Amino acid sequence: GIDTVKQAEVFATIREAYEIPFDDTLKLRDYPTLNHVVAFVNERSGAAPAAEPVPAAEPAPEPAAAKPEPAPQPPGGDDEAAFPRRVPVPVVRPPLSYCVPTGVELARGSRVILRRDSGRVGAALAKRLEKLGVEVLEIAGSPDAEELERQTTDWKAAGPIDGVYWLAGLDEESLDELEPEQAHEALHARVKLLVTVMRALSEQEADRDPFLIAATRLGGRHGYDEAGATSVLGGAVSGFTKALARERPEAVIKAVDFPPSRKTAAIADLLVEETTRDPGTIEVGHADGLRWSVGLVEREAVPDPQRALGSDSVFVITGAAGSIVSAITCELAQAANGGTFHLLDLVPAPDADDPDLERFTSDADGLKRELADRIRDRGERPTPKLVERELARIERARAALDAIEAIRNAGGEAHWHQVDLTDAAAVEQALAVLRGSRVDVLLHCAGLDLSHFLPDKPQPEYDLVFDVKADGWFALLHALRDAEIGTAAVFSSISGRFGNAGQTDYSAANDLLCKSISNFRRSRPDTVGVAIDWTAWAGIGMATRGSIPKTMEAAGIEMMPPELGMAAVQRELTAAGDGGEVLIAGSLGILADERHPTGGLDPDLATTGAAEAKGPMTGRIAAMTLRDGLAVLTDLDPSRQAFLDDHRIDGTPVLPGVMGMEGFAEAARALLPGWHVISLEDVELQAPFKFYRDEPRALELRALLRDAGDGRIEADCQLVGRRTLPGQGEQETIHFSGRAVLARKVPEPPVVDSADTEEAEADRTVNRDAVYRLYFHGPAYQVLDAAWSANGTVVGRLADELPPAHEPPGQPTEMPPRLVELCFQTAGVRELGTAGRMALPTHVDRVQWFAGVDEHGPLWAVVRPRDDDGVDADVVGPDGKARLRLEGYRTIALPGAPDPQALEPIRAAIG
């Protein structure tokens, strides 16, 4: 009668107590009773642990605290920074040709189950598989669950099943045209029959679990692009698939997403390729010629005063008797100074005169003992389960009463609706009063979790968990179809985002809700849709019970203080923008672990494939993970590269900031042939990368490539260095960071005013010798031939015939590093002349280059001051067209003053 999580904890304790080695082949479902566990210990251990004798006695109910004990504070305290706001975004995955094999072979002797779509992809896939010699076992028609289970069992009896292709998620639908019962039936066909098949295959005797390739049509980026999800019901398929992958880590399990399309052969080919390559990805999509998955980026919410809550606000809230929902409702009532609340839950309206509700608050332990006595008085055995059930009923009534009283105390109105959310007619009747009116906030919080691995999860339990969330949501939308909804928010969870073992139902329903919210950008543009992927809450809620807190701690997943969760709800309901899905969590622990060490990338294939575009900052492509993106490991040697040997500070070679920026551009484009980096933005040059004692040193370039909309890709980039210091171990430092912007076409150069490029009189010009008496640059980086003042600007002329800056000389660069350096040095001459200080680059808002740019003159950098102490610059040719544009360049002064004698010519000319 215990859940899978508790069972795992019990087994871990037993193994430790009896010193039994861990066995990764052991399946907990093989030990369903205590007798099985005793047999396990007898088989694998020769001695019992010392223990105090335990008298046989009637098990006493466990005490429950009326008010939860304060939760242990997570690392970092209760600061919001410890629980950042993350947003799921589409991120680029490597081409399949650069990925390692999955180990799945589709050949003669293979047997796979195929559930076709209503289009022709299934037929095309069956044809390809049969051509490979694969026996295709097709699910015909629309069988019920019992019939499908018998059929799957028969297929399995005839021989091992190698995998399943499930294409029902490719079928398109319009939710606005589906009645709740139709949506229920469509979800049964898409996900619940899939549950039936995968459960039936769970006990298959084979060397490996069968693969699952489930196809969806959410848009090719799983609904995380600007347009939003297309066929929403596929979200249940992807949520189930992600959770099943957590239960079966050795199996190839993927949710493969596509945009609406009439293509069949191309999709079938991709499904076969996804089966045989890239074991590192679970969520993958195909759109615009690229492979996509889903990553996370941190983004702050911006309040929108026009969405502030007020006393005239109307709220509809489901799951209103839950302790977390009650606490949130109380906070919303206080923030709105009242408001009208329609509260929906399965339990009846609370009786304020019920003495048990007061006693739950003042003496929960005593109440628990009395509940046991009441059960005994009616002739039943007061087992802990029965007592907890009675206590849970009282707890929900208490939470409901707290919410109602808080609303009324704030000056608002509370309307309680006892309703089964899976009964669409009852939901419509309960909310009939709102027909044709406005609902400012629709908050769907109802849900329950019964964690069991799929083989141990009976279908009625699966239906209960799934239907409350899924059917309840569609019943709400149907009941409010004629109402104007300002903001619609759903409570999802980190299991919806990542999947979680034991929660294939919960994950499926939550991901379905998230995709429905994404679809609002298409179907309900006047409603702001919000989906919140919660981590577990500390102190209140179902995650605080039993073994869950310890399990979360062991998994490295932090539980969130309630005050942060309640603040997050208000923040998301009143934030600017069109909403979307957000994840509120601290450390994600094992959920952030990669399924494959390199993310599924084959480093040798990727490095060889990118060799043609390889630049001086590109070494070996090592990995491409969801957390860090592409990782490039590069060895640099000051004795070999002039950009290091000719860039020394106090005699030590230092990586030029422009070459770090070049590294960003090279890494961002490495696996994207046909794309070009057109700009770098928000570049931070935090710490110099030094080559101590002139020794070679390795660096790592990271580029997390994500969809930026408008046909662009943005890459969040970092340059990372590692050093091992005596007594301190290895230290990792992020030296540079920034963002690269990629497009398929480089912009044409704009025409700018080039009047300032006319050279000033000789006595108002700083020549090359004067500049490099102060600057530390060697020949390859002596890019400045002369500089002068003109009309409030400082102009620097590019030096002719510069020696090669890198080896080999013909190796291409993605950006023109020495033209950026020309801007930096010209700006530096201005700073020397006006402020008398030598400085190093520290920040660039943006640097953009244009079609046809190269590092050959004649070219001039025209530097203009800004009001914020930074500068802008254009590199201009004799035709008046800009080759490069620099915006928001800032510096940090070097300690000490420059040599006054060397400084004088610059001050005289520029100052």
Side-chain angles (χ1 to χ4, degrees), residues 13 20 77 82 104 149 158 240 253 266 294 313 335 375 433 521 524 531 564 577 591 617 630 639 741 857 902:
T13 304
I20 299 173
V104 174
E149 183 176 8
F240 169 83
I253 296 180
V294 184
S313 297
I375 294 171
V433 66
R521 297 198 288 275
R524 296 171 177 255
L564 291 186
L591 294 179
M617 292 295 293
L630 186 70
S639 68
V741 180

Side-chain angles (χ1 to χ4, degrees), residues 475 525 550 593 696 740 847:
K550 286 186 178 181
D593 289 348
V847 58

Side-chain angles (χ1 to χ4, degrees), residues 222-298:
H222 285 271
Y224 293 106
D225 54 353
E226 289 182 326
T230 50
S231 301
V232 169
L233 301 186
V237 176
S238 62
F240 169 83
T241 303
K242 288 184 290 186
L244 186 67
R246 296 281 175 181
E247 294 189 11
R248 304 180 185 179
E250 300 301 320
V252 175
I253 296 180
K254 294 184 181 182
V256 188
D257 190 40
F258 297 95
S261 170
R262 294 183 179 180
K263 294 180 179 179
T264 57
I267 293 177
D269 288 340
L270 288 172
L271 291 173
V272 171
E273 287 187 74
E274 288 289 355
T275 310
T276 59
R277 285 194 173 273
D278 189 3
T281 306
I282 300 173
E283 282 177 296
V284 65
H286 291 264
D288 298 328
L290 296 173
R291 292 178 78 229
W292 302 90
S293 190
V294 184
L296 296 170
V297 296
E298 292 186 17

Side-chain angles (χ1 to χ4, degrees), residues 145-146 149 184 188 192-193 195-196 199 420 422 448-469 471 504-506:
E146 292 77 11
E149 183 176 8
H184 178 87
H188 174 80
K192 291 188 180 178
L193 291 181
V195 172
T196 299
R199 185 192 291 116
D420 180 351
T422 64
L448 72 158
D449 172 42
L450 301 170
S451 292
H452 292 101
F453 275 52
L454 184 61
D456 306 319
K457 187 180 287 289
Q459 193 60 40
E461 178 182 295
Y462 192 103
D463 292 343
L464 176 63
V465 173
F466 182 88
D467 292 352
V468 168
K469 277 184 169 285
D471 289 357
T504 51
D505 42 13
Y506 197 63

Side-chain angles (χ1 to χ4, degrees), residues 13 104 143 153 163 195 259 290 354 366 386 403 422 482-483 544 546 574 576 633 642 759 796 816:
T13 304
V104 174
T153 301
V195 172
L290 296 173
D354 185 348
L386 278 178
T422 64
D482 297 327
T544 63
T574 58
L633 304 179
E759 190 163 343

